[in-house]
Amino acid sequence: MQVIWWTEPWSATPVAVEGVWNVWQPVALTAVVTAFLVVALAYMLGIALNLDGLRKWAKSEFYQALASAVIVGGLIFMIDIMLNEGFQTMIGGMNPYKKAYVYLDGVMSSLYYIYINVYRTNFLLEFLASFTIYSNAVGFDLSPLEIILSPLSEHFHFQAYVVTMAAILTAFQRALIHLFYNTGFTVFIPAGVLLRIFPWTRGAGGLLIAIGIGLSIVYPIMFTFVAMMSENPSEVRNKANELGNSIGGFDLSEFGACASDFGVMADFATEKALSPQLKAASAWILGWLSSVWLKIFYYPMLVLIVTFTFIRTISPLLGADITEIGQGIVRLL
Amino acid sequence: MKKIIIGLLLISLMLCGCTVTGGQMTVTPACSSGAVSPGFETYWMNWQGLSFLAASTVFLLAAFVYTLGHVLIHQKVIMWAKQQMEEAILAMAITLFVIGFVSFLCTLDLNTLGIDTGCTGANCNLVNVAFGRLSSFYTVIMRGFATVLMLNSFMSNAATMTVGKAFGVGPVFTPLAVFGDVSQSLTAAIIVLMTSAIMVLTQMILLKMTESLFVILFPIGVLLRSFGATRGFGGGLIALSIGFFFFYPLLAVLFYGAVLGDVELTYSGMASSFENAGLSPASTEWVTGNPILELLAGFVGKTIVGAIFMPLVMFMILVSFVKGLSYALGEEVDVSNLTRLI
């Protein structure tokens, strides 16, 4: 009977963790037994041929084989609990993946509503700003409303750009969780356990286990803590909708939009171009993003820093030395 | 000593499978048609004799020194000689099993390991499957890129559409100027997708180069490992060649197998949603259900994971593997120091 892992909202197919571990479990146990056999054989040869170096190597490898056996045993025990009693049992009754998806979906939804409202509000402003009086005979082309409206629409351009980048970043985080939800316990950790058993692949194996645990367990759990610190996404959506439904008391008629005389319109526009009302409107528009600023930049950075610090700390314990590698990768980034 | 090493390197290059004809250098690949290539077998036969000769010379010299050490009752000399004899035997063993090892790598059918490759027969080895997966990923990215490009050109065209210039004087306005904002967002997505496509293409080229790299570095490494002075260097070369020829494609097969299906699914959703919306900005596909822009962000996010994040993780794991194996075979090689050059 296939144990149902928690299924993602858009997928009807659960991750077959149990199926994979039914294959990997005996392979890992066989590899551990093989490691002990090789160590025993090497030690015997060392004694028989009086090879001191070989004996010392066999002794140190015995402790490594013991550590591998403990890791394999611990992981089998952990997977057994997770499959039989659910992932949430291990972490105080909450499913971190579910929390992470809900949090990120909320951020995406908030960004989407802000984008829609920026689009709606800017539609009118861009339309009015594009209004141009021209005369081919005289040779002039003038957009009187652009003087006062372009500072506002530029703010919206900036907001749209920031929201786009934030949406891509949020989608990246969601995709990362999705990837490690599917591969953390089915590819990374089993492959890491196997590779860790042998001396020449110990470093790679330890790093795989550390990355698997870090990005499959620590990363989604961090989102749980972040979700507790941040406000309800529906409040952000409501605020974005409310702001989008009115343009904040910004009355275009005060800026000559309804003037019938072109001269009057131009006078109004130049007089009001640097008015305090305009500056206040700009500040109000920029404030639209303040409600999600922490969520889209600060919290993701915090989560990634904690996760990579965890990976960097636990890697040496599992046999991988990533100090130099990590610095090199950071420089590349 | 340096002259000896340089001389050995030059001999190695002459015999490593590189041929120079008419100003172009061709490298015999290690595998062809799912088996060891006959060209590599022929070249390796030349190498094998030389490697055996080198290893047996070292063994005989070490045996002589061992005897001398016993005669002079000099423990350090005895231990050194013992170590050299062990290393010479190991070098002979490596030399004996090279063809077997390469044959294993060339003929390894990943379907037998339970990895669903979607291929059959001789083309199911690691490098071919990894290349196939990267190629499929590249195709999906480019399809997504083309879709977004089309969307962007429509948006930017609509944003510049003007109404009113008819009589030489009067008002003109651009009703859909706001689409410039959407176009700007799509441009950001285009940049990310193009960068991702370049990263994947780079990996595909690297995969093809690893076959040639193996043919060049592995025989040199085996020969150099036979001598005490160059043992560390030779072991490092062996580790590098095995790492890039075996471990890197293995990582690509495992990780891209997990990423590819998901990205293809997301692209299909985005493409069919765009197809339903057509070129009409009034279509509800833009804002309801799974809106196109949300699907686009999801596609770009998954592409970043597959094309930018995964290669970084793979590179870290590969460097760890090369470090560990080179330490076991000779001298620790830290490829990550290459990043300091950047």
Side-chain angles (χ1 to χ4, degrees):
Chain A
M1 184 183 76
Q2 191 184 34
V3 173
I4 304 294
W5 195 271
W6 180 72
T7 309
E8 292 165 308
W10 62 84
S11 170
T13 311
V15 177
V17 174
E18 190 191 32
V20 172
W21 271 87
N22 283 342
V23 172
W24 281 100
Q25 195 171 318
V27 171
L29 288 171
T30 308
V32 167
V33 168
T34 308
F36 276 114
L37 282 173
V38 166
V39 160
L41 199 64
Y43 194 75
M44 283 192 295
L45 276 172
I47 292 175
L49 301 174
N50 196 23
L51 294 169
D52 200 40
L54 188 60
R55 268 209 312 271
K56 282 182 185 166
W57 178 85
K59 261 187 179 174
S60 68
E61 279 305 309
F62 172 76
Y63 293 118
Q64 290 289 350
L66 207 59
S68 299
V70 168
I71 290 170
V72 166
L75 277 168
I76 290 172
F77 178 67
M78 187 177 79
I79 292 291
D80 193 48
I81 292 179
M82 282 160 63
L83 288 174
N84 291 325
E85 296 180 40
F87 194 20
Q88 44 266 38
T89 306
M90 295 178 57
I91 321 166
M94 60 180 176
N95 188 325
Y97 288 109
K98 199 168 183 176
K99 289 279 183 188
Y101 283 129
V102 165
Y103 173 78
L104 289 171
D105 284 344
V107 172
M108 194 61 113
S109 176
S110 306
L111 288 171
Y112 179 68
Y113 274 95
I114 292 174
Y115 193 86
I116 289 294
N117 283 291
V118 163
Y119 175 85
R120 278 167 51 193
T121 311
N122 206 26
F123 190 98
L124 177 64
L125 295 179
E126 292 269 16
F127 176 73
L128 290 173
S130 72
F131 188 78
T132 306
I133 310 286
Y134 83 102
S135 170
N136 283 348
V138 179
F140 82 88
D141 216 309
L142 181 66
S143 308
L145 293 176
E146 196 174 347
I147 299 169
I148 44 167
L149 293 178
S150 63
L152 297 176
S153 63
E154 285 304 318
H155 279 312
F156 283 117
H157 289 166
F158 171 72
Q159 287 223 352
Y161 179 75
V162 168
V163 168
T164 305
M165 299 313 288
I168 290 174
L169 197 65
T170 308
F172 161 71
Q173 291 172 77
R174 204 174 187 288
L176 198 61
I177 288 181
H178 180 62
L179 172 71
F180 280 90
Y181 172 80
N182 284 298
T183 60
F185 290 97
T186 53
V187 175
F188 278 82
I189 294 177
V193 163
L194 258 186
L195 290 174
R196 205 212 163 275
I197 290 168
F198 306 107
W200 44 88
T201 55
R202 187 156 291 138
L207 185 58
L208 271 169
I209 297 173
I211 290 173
I213 293 175
L215 285 162
S216 309
I217 298 178
V218 175
Y219 190 60
I221 286 176
M222 281 306 299
F223 276 109
T224 309
F225 293 124
V226 161
M228 283 190 233
M229 288 191 287
S230 39
E231 62 182 349
N232 194 330
S234 60
E235 288 174 21
V236 176
R237 276 204 304 277
N238 293 340
K239 193 177 173 187
N241 278 337
E242 183 192 309
L243 291 170
N245 285 335
S246 77
I247 49 173
F250 186 69
D251 189 353
L252 282 174
S253 64
E254 291 182 6
F255 292 81
C258 300
S260 55
D261 183 79
F262 170 70
V264 171
M265 188 193 292
D267 289 340
F268 262 118
T270 47
E271 183 191 319
K272 296 278 187 176
L274 294 172
S275 66
Q277 294 96 319
L278 198 63
K279 287 177 190 168
S282 302
W284 166 80
I285 291 164
L286 279 176
W288 283 31
L289 271 181
S290 63
S291 56
V292 286
W293 202 255
L294 279 178
K295 287 188 185 184
I296 61 179
F297 290 121
Y298 176 70
Y299 289 145
M301 204 167 60
L302 178 70
V303 167
L304 280 171
I305 287 170
V306 169
T307 306
F308 286 132
T309 305
F310 173 85
I311 292 171
R312 210 175 141 161
T313 308
I314 205 174
S315 297
L317 297 174
L318 294 167
D321 178 16
I322 65 162
T323 318
E324 291 293 320
I325 302 168
Q327 285 174 2
I329 295 293
V330 167
R331 285 201 189 96
L332 265 177
L333 286 170
Chain B
M1 183 56 74
K2 278 186 186 171
K3 287 180 186 172
I4 295 170
I5 293 172
I6 291 168
L8 284 169
L9 275 171
L10 285 171
I11 295 168
S12 314
L13 274 171
M14 276 163 48
L15 297 172
C16 72
C18 309
T19 55
V20 182
T21 46
Q24 271 189 335
M25 189 161 97
T26 56
V27 180
T28 307
C31 301
S32 73
S33 306
V36 182
S37 75
F40 179 76
E41 275 192 43
T42 310
Y43 283 122
W44 179 248
M45 286 306 136
N46 297 332
W47 272 98
Q48 201 169 33
L50 201 61
S51 297
F52 263 121
L53 182 64
S56 8
T57 308
V58 169
F59 185 84
L60 287 171
L61 279 172
F64 176 71
V65 170
Y66 183 79
T67 316
L68 208 61
H70 269 289
V71 166
L72 298 173
I73 315 174
H74 198 300
Q75 283 303 316
K76 277 191 178 170
V77 169
I78 292 169
M79 281 174 58
W80 179 88
K82 252 187 179 177
Q83 193 193 6
Q84 294 308 310
M85 284 195 287
E86 285 163 16
E87 294 291 352
I89 292 169
L90 186 58
M92 283 188 223
I94 291 174
T95 310
L96 266 177
F97 290 110
V98 163
I99 287 290
F101 177 66
V102 175
S103 176
F104 166 74
L105 292 179
C106 294
T107 56
L108 175 64
D109 185 347
L110 293 174
N111 289 315
T112 57
L113 296 179
I115 298 173
D116 182 20
T117 59
C119 69
T120 51
N123 289 323
C124 287
N125 65 34
L126 273 171
V127 175
N128 289 340
V129 173
F131 187 83
R133 294 225 158 125
L134 283 170
S135 177
S136 302
F137 189 44
Y138 176 76
T139 306
V140 172
I141 294 175
M142 291 311 288
R143 282 188 189 149
F145 175 77
T147 305
V148 177
L149 204 62
M150 197 163 55
L151 197 58
N152 188 38
S153 51
F154 162 69
M155 288 290 170
S156 49
N157 271 317
T160 56
M161 183 183 70
T162 55
V163 176
K165 266 194 174 165
F167 304 105
V169 61
V172 174
F173 56 94
T174 312
L176 299 176
V178 75
F179 279 11
D181 270 354
V182 183
S183 173
Q184 192 185 30
S185 303
L186 292 174
T187 304
I190 287 169
I191 292 168
V192 171
L193 287 175
M194 182 45 79
T195 308
S196 303
I198 290 170
M199 293 289 286
V200 174
L201 204 54
T202 307
Q203 286 190 84
M204 287 164 68
I205 294 168
L206 180 64
L207 262 178
K208 281 299 173 189
M209 276 175 58
T210 56
E211 285 186 288
S212 308
L213 207 69
F214 181 80
V215 170
I216 294 170
L217 293 182
F218 193 80
I220 299 174
V222 168
L223 179 66
L224 291 178
R225 207 192 169 283
S226 305
F227 302 102
T230 56
R231 186 157 295 134
F233 181 58
L237 287 180
I238 293 172
L240 263 174
S241 57
I242 292 175
F244 277 96
F245 185 58
F246 169 65
F247 202 66
Y248 178 69
L250 179 66
L251 290 177
V253 166
L254 287 176
F255 296 160
Y256 281 99
V259 166
L260 189 58
D262 198 25
V263 174
E264 282 172 343
L265 203 65
T266 310
Y267 166 73
S268 300
M270 184 181 79
S272 61
S273 191
F274 178 55
E275 214 176 284
N276 294 339
L279 295 179
S280 166
S283 171
T284 53
E285 288 281 341
W286 291 100
V287 294
T288 57
N290 283 328
I292 291 176
L293 295 179
E294 266 198 42
L295 287 171
L296 173 64
F299 176 71
V300 172
K302 285 177 185 173
T303 304
I304 293 173
V305 168
I308 297 171
F309 181 79
M310 284 314 305
L312 283 176
V313 170
M314 281 164 60
F315 185 70
M316 282 172 66
I317 297 168
L318 178 64
V319 166
S320 279
F321 174 78
V322 169
K323 274 179 85 165
L325 189 59
S326 64
Y327 182 73
L329 290 173
E331 191 177 282
E332 190 177 279
V333 170
D334 191 358
V335 183
S336 65
N337 280 324
L338 288 174
T339 57
R340 290 185 177 181
L341 290 173
I342 295 174

